[in-house]
Amino acid sequence: MRPRFRRAEPMTTFELVPDDEREGGSGVAPGEEHDDLRRLPLRERALARWRALSRRGRVAVAAGAAVVVLAVATATVAPGLLDARAERLRADAIRGLPGAVEDLSEPLAETWELPDGDGLVTLAGGLVLTTDGTSVAALDAGTGDEAWRREVGTFPTCGPRGGITDDLARPADVAVCLTGNPDDRTVTVLDAGGAVVGERSFGPARADAYDDGAPDGAPVVVPAGGGALAVVDGLSDATAPWPSDDLPDAGTLRALRADGWVDPTVRVEDALTGEVRGEATLHLRAEDLGACGMMQDDGEAPELMTYPSVVASSSLVTLSVCGAAVLVTPRGTAIDVDPEGAWARPLADGGLVVAGEDGSTVLDDDGTVVATVPGLVIPPLVDAEPGSSYLALAGMGDGATGPPRLTSIGPDGGERWWSVVTDDFGGVLARVDGVVVVQDGSGLVGVDAATGDEIWDRDDLLRRSDDGSGEWVAGAVTDGTRLLVGVSGHGGGDRNRLVTLDVRDGTTLWEREQDGYLEGLLTIGGHVVAFAGAVRGLG
């Protein structure tokens, strides 16, 4: 079977040759000995060469021989000890990174379960914050035991939560909770130990754009990272008819504005003081309306759905309406987004990447541009070597020719190290121990992180149908040597699989099936947590 990854361009190779002359030698090149020396027996020939060496040359040869003997003896006596030590060093090197755990050599078993996982917040110290009636409780992610509990008030909503499961992998130093009735909300800030940092009365607020219990004109308020709130003003009930024969256009936008549409603004403010850290206004365009939803009452013509969505994670606040979005960091820095569409993801070593098909921008925590990278940067789900290079899809823009290529680009964003063509790219799962693990077609491929060469191919790992349906990877975890992948879609979605691979050769080390539709697999405080209907701790 041909390799699934094909190099897009030849590599340059170099042959290393020894110097022509040696210290104290005759100047004869290797392989050109005198005929009389060649006629000597092997032992005498070696002795003659030894005598021809200088004193320094004899010392070097003797030292080299001692190293060889020692290496052979060590490998003979304790290869397992060397492997174990190397694994411990790799585990130590990645400790604290998102998706990192101590050891995956043995199958994991369920250690605790939380039936209702809505509203979870990850706190520093390996804690998971959940709401329970009028209180919040912090659970130890390793054992599921309750670490502390605090009364906060009725209808608590806490954050930062984010919009996808992976956002929970980044712990927050403080949790921001919004409590009380929609016409009079209270903000409470808690630290990771459960102590109340402070409180303030906010007034009327909606939990989201669909909250009908709040007074007219009340803003949407969402707890954000860095002890902040994301507040969206300018909500309106304006709508416009959906064209019967085409997608919405400029005429639809004019009708929407005539009905009272106002472009919304999101501001990030300090949760306790109300000080505004930054803001951004979303300017809706006609091109964005094609991504709007559609609503239709019985017997009525369909209309646009233009409710804004607000997502606040530890690293970013996103306000989106239809196909338009604006981004603000918890520190208040507004981030420019390509109006034709881009998405932002956190990086393992901090900061963000705002990725687009024609190019991506890497930002630090303050929103300062660190690098500009050609192509669509794809951060690995698990990255044990953050900052070593950027992995991007090249050839995705409107003017691209030929198939897309997975490309490794230097940390300054300017130097391309290698580029390979993929058959059916499904995402970058991990970069671990010098191997980039890619979902490609119906399986996984291990690629050398330094050269782009294919190391191994597991086209048997995912069960897929001809129509493309079937299993997919819903999360990944590593211990620096092994990679645990969560495979979802097994058995029609009511079952999932956990499979652990050796990243060096792709072999399966262990596998187990479990109940539930797997939505995500991540680590919290160095412990594996699976989201599969319920929230389950694995250890």
Side-chain angles (χ1 to χ4, degrees):
M1 182 179 67
R2 66 178 177 82
R4 213 181 308 175
F5 274 64
R6 307 186 305 280
R7 183 168 303 285
E9 54 193 34
M11 297 289 290
T12 301
T13 60
F14 300 90
E15 181 180 3
L16 300 179
V17 298
D19 294 336
D20 288 340
E21 296 186 5
R22 305 172 187 173
E23 180 185 4
S26 64
V28 178
E32 297 181 1
E33 294 94 337
H34 296 295
D35 291 339
D36 54 349
L37 181 60
R38 291 182 179 181
R39 285 193 293 268
L40 292 174
L42 179 61
R43 181 178 180 279
E44 294 183 17
R45 198 186 319 166
L47 183 60
R49 286 176 176 166
W50 170 260
R51 289 170 176 167
L53 288 175
S54 66
R55 176 176 177 147
R56 187 174 6 169
R58 295 182 184 183
V59 171
V61 170
V67 171
V68 171
V69 171
L70 178 61
V72 171
T74 304
T76 302
V77 174
L81 293 178
L82 291 178
D83 287 344
R85 182 175 183 274
E87 290 180 6
R88 286 197 303 272
L89 291 175
R90 282 191 285 269
D92 290 341
I94 67 171
R95 183 175 289 115
L97 288 175
V101 295
E102 286 286 338
D103 182 39
L104 291 170
S105 60
E106 300 293 334
L108 302 181
E110 183 178 316
T111 55
W112 57 271
E113 178 179 299
L114 185 64
D116 183 7
D118 290 340
L120 288 185
V121 179
T122 302
L123 292 176
L127 299 178
V128 178
L129 187 71
T130 182
T131 58
D132 182 14
T134 60
S135 65
V136 293
L139 309 180
D140 185 292
T143 64
D145 296 337
E146 187 174 297
W148 54 262
R149 177 177 292 265
R150 178 72 61 183
E151 284 287 327
V152 292
T154 57
F155 312 117
T157 301
C158 301
R161 289 184 295 179
I164 59 177
T165 308
D166 290 347
D167 288 330
L168 292 172
R170 298 181 175 275
D173 292 327
V174 297
V176 179
C177 296
L178 204 64
T179 62
N181 293 320
D183 59 350
D184 187 17
R185 296 281 195 182
T186 297
V187 180
T188 303
V189 178
L190 305 170
D191 67 16
V196 176
V197 178
E199 293 182 335
R200 74 160 167 137
S201 175
F202 187 89
R206 304 171 189 250
D208 54 48
Y210 299 91
D211 188 351
D212 295 330
D216 292 342
V220 172
V221 181
V222 177
L229 292 173
V231 183
V232 179
D233 293 311
L235 301 181
S236 71
D237 295 326
T239 188
W242 188 284
S244 59
D245 57 350
D246 204 349
L247 290 175
D249 54 15
T252 309
L253 182 59
R254 286 193 295 269
L256 184 66
R257 295 194 182 280
D259 195 47
W261 170 262
V262 176
D263 287 336
T265 295
V266 59
R267 70 175 185 272
V268 174
E269 64 180 49
D270 188 281
L272 293 179
T273 67
E275 178 185 359
V276 177
R277 300 177 181 177
E279 62 182 22
T281 299
L282 184 151
H283 300 287
L284 194 63
R285 308 173 306 156
E287 299 93 311
D288 303 320
L289 299 181
C292 291
M294 180 190 297
M295 58 184 177
Q296 185 175 13
D297 294 329
D298 292 340
E300 300 292 334
E303 295 182 325
L304 292 173
M305 289 182 63
T306 55
Y307 292 114
S309 172
V310 188
V311 177
S313 69
S314 293
S315 55
L316 196 65
V317 171
T318 304
L319 167 64
S320 58
V321 176
C322 301
V326 291
L327 312 176
V328 184
T329 69
R331 297 185 181 184
T333 303
I335 298 175
D336 291 332
V337 179
D338 183 353
E340 298 303 323
W343 51 272
R345 294 295 302 136
L347 297 173
D349 57 349
L352 297 164
V353 58
V354 181
E357 293 182 350
D358 293 322
S360 303
T361 303
V362 181
L363 311 167
D364 63 15
D365 290 337
D366 294 324
T368 302
V369 175
V370 175
T372 301
V373 183
L376 181 71
V377 170
I378 310 290
L381 296 182
V382 176
D383 195 353
E385 301 165 16
S388 56
S389 69
Y390 299 112
L391 299 170
L393 273 186
M396 296 289 290
D398 293 337
T401 59
R405 303 179 305 278
L406 180 63
T407 306
S408 178
I409 300 171
D412 62 353
E415 183 180 1
R416 189 177 73 169
W417 289 352
W418 51 260
S419 184
V420 293
V421 177
T422 66
D423 283 342
D424 185 13
F425 181 77
V428 180
L429 302 184
R431 175 165 48 188
V432 179
D433 199 12
V435 180
V436 176
V437 182
V438 177
Q439 183 173 338
D440 192 54
S442 61
L444 306 185
V445 181
V447 179
D448 190 303
T451 65
D453 293 334
E454 181 179 307
I455 302 174
W456 51 263
D457 182 358
R458 287 296 305 275
D459 60 358
D460 61 329
L461 192 61
L462 302 179
R463 303 161 189 171
R464 304 291 290 273
S465 302
D466 292 339
D467 61 1
S469 62
E471 296 179 329
W472 64 93
V473 175
V477 170
T478 187
D479 64 1
T481 303
R482 292 162 283 259
L483 182 69
L484 169 64
V485 294
V487 180
S488 192
H490 176 54
D494 58 343
R495 301 277 290 171
N496 65 80
R497 293 189 293 134
L498 301 178
V499 182
T500 294
L501 308 173
D502 188 320
V503 296
R504 294 166 291 189
D505 56 17
T507 55
T508 297
L509 301 178
W510 59 264
E511 178 177 345
R512 62 166 293 210
E513 294 187 5
Q514 58 181 19
D515 294 329
Y517 175 88
L518 187 63
E519 298 176 4
L521 184 72
L522 54 97
T523 62
I524 297 176
H527 304 286
V528 182
V529 178
F531 292 78
V535 181
R536 297 186 175 96
L538 305 174

